[in-house]
């Protein structure tokens, strides 16, 4: 690990101002991802500005019936929050499906959103990786990539990257149309969570659209009035990242899909909002065939790699099953 | 970069000099020579380093020592009171819930955290009804203890060891 | 009945338990060397084959707090007798990915690890050759395989018998490279006092490590002491010396201070061995009643270019079933990989996955219950050595297991049972492991007050030695447990082989029993009372059981599992299992249960998760940590019913102990894969059973 200075600030604005002056600095949340990457030499900040106790650790009610989640709320506390459990089960389930009890106790909401890919070439500084070392190539493209992306990858050139975003929580937040509140050197702004993460495009080194020094202060959840759930498939029963996951919310009225939200995890560089599937479903009968057609519509764009083609039928099956479970249907 | 900190560990305050890079785990093991938390991966992937930080279980290998402040660090050894073993210590021995013993102090800190979380009504990934009261069934214990790998695979004995104490403490029928 | 006579077999709680649960039992790094400790960190090769062309340590050397940088240019010269990967930093040649090319000693671990980045290394790399295939033209037959077994065995006319058999199975099974991954990372802490070396070390046998250190540095036994009272698991990876022990000693010599080297988890994927991948073709021929006429088991596996390690994968096939025509072979490819090593039941574990899967396939082809098929092929004598069994209770294990599991009435058809979205099936497989005894010395002293001290360099790597050996000693001395003090895990103690090959308690226990008998005889000759200034007796066992030639000595077992596969996702769960073992005398019911359980669960983990994924271009193991290399978590393990038969075996050793550390893993993966087939109708012949394979 490279040497660094450790700083605390009296308030978020001061932290932002401090980091703005430090181009090589980084915010420190729970550290469960950043400290890991620093040990590996993947992250090499020269200043750490500790924001874990600086950003709010409160979950508060919003006037519209939604919730505001402070960026400092630990993942464990958020999953245990009664309002989240009752009103946003998809979020509680996504959080509980992630990492371990110990890690969730330490990991923060802000840090979870910004955790970096688990690609084995990214985390090994002796290997080529366009995300870590732009222009060095993508080791995973023709290497070990069973758990890499099937949608939205970049295959050619210095932007080549086929990594996935590892967060479970973010998949639920994307399905929930959460809004991310950010404090930057130029003041506050809000962005829909769908605009936070980005596809690799021609610059996989950037996971998100945040600029240096921008601090996530909170995440706002709009009210949700439909049943929701999260389903994660992984290679062991617990304590493993998703192969594929689905965050879904569905309301069926008179046998017809009245409202639906669908997002996929483990399939792309971002948590993947399944808009094509949603559009296919709205107003259609809530049947297994319709669910399968919707999943098919979303996955038609899939471009799997040599060893991860299984994610296409896997994602399709999990979408169908989750929607069936939500619609109360069986098969 | 050297920094002066005071770590409160198992009831005693230890002023010490650490590098900003020093993790809580290394501060405990290498600076204080505390043998209770173990290092099994150094990356949050095994749970051997689990300690309680102000009563909450965390992976001490991913916590920088400089961030700990005046939080109270409790190791498995520190769970003993007045030289008397903690009920989890006793149940782990009685159930033979370990073999090599290397993951064990971490398992025990984690179990202490599990009991506390259950008392607080926290659900887990296997909780069917997220809003119901929590009971530490075997399935619940398995999931909640899954952040602690045991290569000797004492899992089938760890579950009853935790269950015994859970039952005694009323978070299991 | 006196209580004293009954300590053996009783489920005594672990003597070392209270210290282990609190974390006060000192493992290697936790020992007190008596002076401040400096830290060693490693620079590893990023290529598989080639030569270092430039190595510039100056930036690392200039880092404040760095005490020394060891490189091939300045490292102390080691004896030329060292082989394989042990001659560290002795040349510029690179033989495998992750080979140590430099090492940094510094005042703190943070400084040492950071300074590694300040060592610049350039290589002339050659194209690595890392891929094992059964059709490689360069496969060769080693002179022998591990543990002294013959490379091939051929009896009768296998091909002829196969061509005329009523029913045949011909299938190829594959197991991937696997890593032992004990939770305690390999750690060595070295201190020199003049020309004497003390190494506090995580290993499975201090004498084994001591021997290589003596060779490396040209020292006598009196000059090297290896201390290892508590070891955080090994599973084979801590059986032999690896580069880190040599490096720690070398660095301590150079800086004149105590040096600790704690390997990182990632480094453990290249520096402490792995289990070779295997490709195994099994052919079975049988008559229409299911009696085997021919068995052929041909194994292809890899070894390292710099060291031959030939896993004895097909040897279990030589003892399992009767058949007049039989053949087993082992062929190796020398690849640019780190040296493989032993991993829990080397040979039997991958080999029995193949054989026991093939037996399941044969049972299906014949429409015979797979338990019954095995019983029909029970050999009355060792089918290849043609000697009697010292004892063999496989049939009873199968019958007892079937009873306990509720096997009767099982529907033979695959893929027909569901429970909601779960596809449900059950599977069975048999297990076997050889029983051996090795040389072990022992010293027992009694003081004037009747307190006994038992000294032997045995190891407790989680196996329960502290407890079981104390019990054995108390019984043999006819005293209570409290009157016996045991010392193990120190090369200063009388010689004993390491914990490995399930020989530990059989060898050490025998040595203790024989030495205790000698002591008691001496005491009796003195009128039953110890002399005021005590009495010491040295004894032991010279090596294998004197009956090893006349009898075939093996433990046996049977596993039954229920397997559930999610019809949508291919996720696999094993909610319940029953294993029954026949392993002779069980010294401690409590610790033995844990050993069987741990073995079985490692087999379950192998079946479901374990796989070291190698990049074919760069040649390294990509998933080289515990987030990437999955081992079973608590949630992966269901209800497991462990039991054993009372089995008396007068031939194996003084105690009738057959060894229990490895048999649990043998066959477990086959039982799970067989259950998977029964649940889904899909036969997965290449482990592990990850969800991707469900979608093939
Ligand atoms: C073994 C292991 C298994 C895991 N399994 C899972 C899993 O199954 N599912 C899953 O979803 N996750 C998993 N995780 C990841 C875990 O969820 C993340 O590490 C965690 O959520 C990160 O939160 P943190 O607060 O610790 O972030 P940090 O490590 O502190 O920070 C992460 C990044 O966010 C930045 N940052 C932190 N806070 C802010 C802020 N307020 N504003 C702006 N930037 C900020 C940091 O600079 C850094 O770049 C696992 C982690 C480990 C180690
Ligand atoms: S997939 Fe992306 S993160 Fe992985 S090696 Fe390629 S560029 Fe790097
Ligand atoms: S050492 Fe901290 S989780 Fe493994
Ligand atoms: S007891 Fe050995 S790793 Fe758990």
């Amino acid at each position: 690990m490279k040497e660094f200075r450790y700083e605390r600030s009296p308030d978020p604005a001061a932290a932002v101002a401090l980091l703005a002056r430090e181009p090589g600095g980084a915010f420190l949340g729970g550290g469960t991802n950043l400290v890991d990457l620093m040990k590996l030499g993947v992250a090499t900040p020269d200043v750490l500005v500790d924001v874990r106790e600086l950003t709010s650790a409160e979950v508060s009610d919003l006037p519209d019936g939604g919730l505001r989640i402070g960026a400092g709320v630990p993942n464990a506390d958020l999953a245990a929050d009664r309002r989240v459990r009752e009103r946003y089960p998809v979020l509680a389930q996504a959080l509980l499906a992630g990492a371990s009890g110990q890690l969730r106790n330490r990991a923060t909401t802000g840090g979870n959103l910004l955790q970096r890919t688990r690609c084995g070439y990214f985390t090994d500084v002796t290997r080529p990786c366009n995300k870590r070392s732009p222009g060095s190539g993508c080791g995973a493209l023709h290497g070990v990539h069973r758990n890499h992306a099937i949608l939205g990858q970049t295959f050619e050139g210095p932007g080549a990257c086929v990594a996935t975003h590892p967060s479970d929580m973010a998949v639920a937040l994307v399905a929930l149309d959460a809004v991310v509140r950010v404090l930057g050197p130029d003041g506050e702004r809000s962005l829909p969570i769908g605009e936070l993460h980005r596809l690799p495009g021609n610059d996989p080194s950037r996971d998100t659209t945040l600029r240096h020094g921008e601090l996530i202060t909170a995440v706002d959840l709009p009210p949700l009035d439909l049943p929701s759930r999260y389903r994660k498939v992984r290679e062991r029963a617990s304590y493993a990242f998703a192969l594929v996951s689905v965050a879904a919310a569905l309301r069926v009225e008179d046998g017809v899909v009245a409202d639906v939200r669908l997002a996929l995890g483990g399939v792309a560089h971002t948590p993947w909002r399944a808009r094509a599937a949603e559009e296919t479903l709205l107003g259609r009968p809530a049947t297994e065939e319709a669910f399968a057609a919707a999943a098919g519509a979303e996955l038609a764009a899939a471009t799997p790699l040599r060893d991860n083609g299984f994610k296409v039928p896997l994602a399709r099956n999990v979408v169908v099953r989750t929607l069936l479970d939500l619609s109360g249907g069986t098969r | 970069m050297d920094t002066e900190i005071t770590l409160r560990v198992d009831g005693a305050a230890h002023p010490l000099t650490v590098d900003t890079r020093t993790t809580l785990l290394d501060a405990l093991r290498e600076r204080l020579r505390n043998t209770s938390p173990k290092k099994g991966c150094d990356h949050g992937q095994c749970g051997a380093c689990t300690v309680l930080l102000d009563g909450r279980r965390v992976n001490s290998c991913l916590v920088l020592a400089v961030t700990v402040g005046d939080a109270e660090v409790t190791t498995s050894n520190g769970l003993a009171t007045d030289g008397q073993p903690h009920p989890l210590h006793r149940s782990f021995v009685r159930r033979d819930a370990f073999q090599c013993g290397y993951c064990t102090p971490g398992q025990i800190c984690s179990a202490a955290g599990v009991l506390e979380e259950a008392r607080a009504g926290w659900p887990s990934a296997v909780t069917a009804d997220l809003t119901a009261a929590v009971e530490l069934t075997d399935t619940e214990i398995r999931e909640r203890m899954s952040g602690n790998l045991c290569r000797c695979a004492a899992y089938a004995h760890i579950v009853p060891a935790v269950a015994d104490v859970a039952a005694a403490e009323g978070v299991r029928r | 009945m006196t209580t004293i006579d009954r300590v053996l077999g009783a489920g005594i709680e672990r003597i070392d338990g209270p210290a282990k649960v609190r974390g006060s039992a000192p493992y290697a790094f936790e020992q007190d060397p008596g002076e401040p400790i400096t830290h060693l960190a490693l620079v590893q090769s990023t290529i598989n084959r080639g030569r270092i062309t430039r190595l510039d340590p100056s930036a690392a050397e200039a880092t404040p707090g760095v005490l020394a940088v060891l490189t091939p240019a300045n490292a102390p010269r080691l004896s030329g007798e060292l082989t394989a990967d042990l001659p560290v930093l002795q040349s510029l040649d690179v033989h495998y990915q992750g080979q140590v090319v430099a090492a940094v000693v510094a005042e703190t671990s943070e400084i040492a690890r950071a300074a590694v980045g300040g060592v610049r290394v350039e290589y002339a790399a050659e194209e690595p050759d890392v891929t094992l295939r059964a059709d490689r033209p360069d496969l060769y037959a080693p002179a022998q395989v591990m543990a002294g077994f013959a490379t091939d065995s051929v009896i009768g006319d296998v091909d002829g018998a196969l061509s005329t058999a009523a029913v045949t199975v011909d299938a190829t099974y594959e197991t991937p490279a696997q890593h032992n991954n004990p939770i305690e990372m390999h750690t060595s802490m070295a201190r020199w006092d003049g020309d004497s070396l003390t190494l506090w070390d995580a290993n499975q046998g201090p004498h084994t490590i001591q021997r290589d250190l003596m060779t490396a540095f040209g020292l006598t036994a009196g000059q090297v002491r290896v201390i290892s009272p508590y070891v955080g698991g090994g599973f084979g990876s801590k059986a032999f010396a690896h580069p880190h022990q040599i490096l720690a000693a070398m660095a301590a010599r150079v800086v004149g201070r105590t040096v600790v080297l704690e390997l990182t988890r990632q480094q453990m994927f290249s520096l402490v061995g792995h289990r070779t991948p295997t490709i195994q073709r099994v052919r079975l021929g049988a008559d229409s009643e299911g009696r085997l006429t021919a068995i052929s088991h041909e194994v292809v596996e890899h070894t390292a270019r710099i060291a031959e390690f030939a896993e004895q994968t097909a040897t279990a096939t030589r003892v399992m079933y009767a058949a007049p025509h039989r053949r087993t072979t082992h062929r190796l490819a020398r690849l640019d990989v780190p040296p493989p090593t032993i991993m829990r039941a080397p040979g039997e574990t991958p080999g029995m996955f193949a054989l026991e899967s093939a037996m399941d396939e044969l049972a299906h082809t014949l429409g015979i219950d797979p338990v019954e098929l095995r019983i029909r092929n029970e050999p009355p004598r060792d089918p290849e050595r043609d000697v009697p069994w010292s004892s063999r209770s496989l049939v009873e294990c199968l019958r007892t297991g079937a009873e306990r599991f509720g096997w009767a009435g099982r529907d033979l058809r695959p893929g027909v049972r569901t429970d909601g979205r779960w596809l449900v099936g059950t599977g069975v497989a048999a297990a076997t492991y050889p029983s051996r005894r090795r040389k072990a010395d022992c010293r027992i002293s009694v003081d004037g007050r009747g307190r006994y001290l038992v000294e032997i360099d045995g190891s407790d790597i989680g196996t329960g030695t502290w407890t079981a050996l104390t019990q054995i000693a108390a019984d043999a001395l006819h005293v209570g447990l409290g009157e016996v003090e045991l010392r193990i895990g120190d090369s200063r103690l009388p010689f004993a082989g390491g914990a490995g090959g399930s020989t530990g308690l059989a060898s050490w226990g025998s040595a203790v029993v024989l030495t205790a008998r000698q002591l008691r005889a001496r005491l009796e000759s003195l009128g039953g009372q110890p002399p005021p200034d005590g009495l010491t007796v040295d004894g032991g066992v010279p090596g294998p059981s004197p009956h090893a030639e006349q009898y075939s000595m093996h433990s046996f077992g049977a596993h039954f599992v229920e397997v559930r596969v999610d019809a949508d996702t291919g996720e696999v769960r094993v909610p319940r299992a029953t294993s029954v073992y026949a392993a002779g005398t069980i010294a401690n019911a409590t610790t033995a249960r844990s050993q069987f359980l741990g073995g079985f669960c490692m087999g379950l983990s192998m079946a479901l998760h374990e796989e070291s994924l190698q990049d074919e271009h760069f040649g390294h193991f990509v998933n080289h940590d515990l987030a990437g290399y999955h081992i079973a978590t608590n949630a992966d393990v269901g209800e497991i019913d462990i039991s054993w038969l009372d089995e008396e075996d007068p031939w194996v050793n003084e105690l009738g102990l057959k060894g229990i550390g490895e048999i649990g893993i043998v066959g477990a993966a086959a039982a799970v894969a067989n259950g998977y087939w029964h649940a889904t109708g899909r036969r997965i012949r290449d482990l592990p059973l990850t969800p991707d394979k469900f979608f093939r």
Side-chain angles (χ1 to χ4, degrees), chain B residues 25 38-49 59 61:
Chain B
L25 179 62
K38 308 294 189 196
K39 185 184 284 188
C41 71
D42 216 17
H43 290 275
Q45 303 168 354
C46 77
C49 64
N59 306 85
C61 68

Side-chain angles (χ1 to χ4, degrees), chain C residues 389-442:
Chain C
W389 306 106
S390 63
S391 59
R392 170 165 169 139
S393 316
L394 173 59
V395 171
E396 215 187 325
C397 287
L398 285 162
R399 293 218 164 104
T400 309
E403 175 76 34
R404 294 179 75 104
F405 185 77
W407 185 260
R410 172 181 182 263
D411 185 345
L412 293 179
R413 294 170 303 156
V416 295
R417 287 149 303 272
T418 57
D419 175 6
R421 295 299 298 162
W422 292 108
L423 310 174
V424 183
T426 50
V428 63
T432 189
Y433 197 76
S435 301
R436 285 178 290 236
R437 196 184 73 182
R438 292 204 202 127
K439 174 177 160 58
D441 299 336
C442 176

